[in-house]
Amino acid sequence: MATDSPDTSSTERPDPKELKQFETALKETAKDFLALRDRYFEVKKAARRRADLQAQFDPATLPAAERQRLQKQIDALEETLEGKILAWEMVKEPFWQALRFWGLGLLLGWFIRGWVGF
């Protein structure tokens, strides 16, 4: 018996609104990734600069003014390094999603284990 309804199997096209939401989420993820990458390189550069300055920093041979200038630069670089590579705002949503789904999977696993009787 033939039906007049269209076939809704794998040929169904996604809703344009869903595609737009996906595109927006993908762009936001790419932007967050680029910000993370930039922060990583910033921290890496600061660590190299700090090592270079500490190699130059010999309190016994440097004049007081030079010693203070180098110490200020080292302190500024340490502040840069102490900054978080991942800000909480960047990882908050993925963290809660992972926690939610891992927790749900764990509960589901325990339920199935109890139901099957292992």
Side-chain angles (χ1 to χ4, degrees):
M1 187 179 197
T3 61
D4 293 332
S5 65
D7 183 35
T8 57
S9 61
S10 63
T11 60
E12 184 176 320
R13 300 188 86 174
D15 183 27
K17 186 176 179 181
E18 289 175 352
L19 285 175
K20 188 67 173 171
Q21 288 174 346
F22 177 74
E23 181 182 356
T24 303
L26 188 60
K27 284 180 182 178
E28 187 174 312
T29 302
K31 183 183 78 165
D32 291 343
F33 173 75
L34 291 175
L36 177 63
R37 184 197 65 178
D38 292 344
R39 180 67 180 143
Y40 169 76
F41 287 125
E42 179 183 336
V43 168
K44 195 173 178 179
K45 181 181 173 184
R48 272 195 313 267
R49 181 74 178 133
R50 179 177 177 232
D52 292 344
L53 287 174
Q54 283 183 332
Q56 297 174 9
F57 192 73
D58 184 13
T61 61
L62 290 175
E66 184 69 13
R67 198 174 28 219
Q68 287 178 342
R69 184 184 67 78
L70 286 175
Q71 187 60 48
K72 284 181 183 179
Q73 285 182 351
I74 290 172
D75 292 342
L77 288 170
E78 284 178 355
E79 287 178 17
T80 300
L81 292 172
E82 288 173 358
K84 297 177 188 170
I85 289 180
L86 292 175
W88 173 246
E89 292 301 318
M90 290 176 66
V91 296
K92 183 171 51 173
E93 184 178 344
F95 170 77
W96 287 115
Q97 285 182 358
L99 184 67
R100 179 180 347 142
F101 290 117
W102 287 341
L104 183 61
L106 184 64
L107 289 174
L108 187 60
W110 282 340
F111 173 75
I112 292 173
R113 180 179 170 211
W115 184 51
V116 172
F118 283 115

